Structures are given as structure tokens and as C-alpha cells.
Amino acid sequence: MTASNAHDSTECAFLDLKGVRVLLVEDSWQLGIALDNLLRAMGADVAGPVATTAEAERLLSKNVPDVAIVDFNLRGGELASGLIDCLHNRGVRVVVTSGYEVVPLASGKAAAILQKPFSEAHLLASLRAGTAQKEQ
């Protein structure tokens, strides 16, 4: 995630995530904590961050999220494609993040793919459609 700017703060003000359950799967400790803080500040109920698919599946067994933010390349070289398929099959909106320009996913599995580093504004834009659907 890149540093915030005035535009990002404006975007943040227009997105209330109160009551939205978010699964956060990110193997970078610093980015995971920053995303967790941002999402909680907007009212989201965040599960994670966790760094492996096994940890994510453990959280999924307790509660199915409304949206998941999933880093494609996880700890130890693990790829999140199976987790993304599982989330998609359960009807969870998935926002994939990756340091790579191309992510090998089947079409339609991810609601959005964000290339790192991404801005708060891009993250919030990718979450906006999913939260708007929840409110309807």
C-alpha cells in the first residue's frame, strides 16, 4: 500500500465498512497490519491477517466473510489459487493483491486484482461494489 494522500482520505470518508466481515490473508506483516488498521478504522470486522491458506481456512471454518483480501503469493512460496477458488465457490467477493503484474487466475474468480504497491483509493474502490451489494 502506498502512502495516503488527500484523495485517499476523501475516498475513505465515503466508504463505511461497518458490519462488513473481511478476511485478510497477507504474508507481509507490515502490510497486513496496515490493512487491518485501515479496515478496522472504517468499521470492518476483520479476521486476520493470516499468512497461509491453512490459517485462512481455519478462520473460514468459524465465519464466512463478506469479502476477502488475499495476497496471491503467500508464506513459503505458497500460491493462494486454491483458497481463492474456495472463497469464490462460497460466494465471497475476493480482492487479490500481488507484487506480480500477471496473476494466473481463471476469469471471474477475483472481483479485482491489485498490483502492489496499491493506494488506499484503489483498495477502497475495489471494496466499494461489494459493500454496496451487501447494503441492498
Side-chain angles (χ1 to χ4, degrees), residues 76-121:
E78 179 182 21
L79 299 180
S81 50
L83 174 63
I84 293 165
D85 287 344
C86 175
L87 290 163
H88 176 77
N89 292 341
R90 288 179 142 185
V92 177
R93 178 180 171 79
V94 181
V95 175
V96 175
T97 64
S98 178
Y100 295 99
E101 191 171 326
V102 177
V103 178
L105 280 178
S107 179
K109 293 288 181 172
I113 299 175
L114 301 177
Q115 186 177 0
K116 293 177 184 177
F118 52 86
S119 68
E120 287 178 14

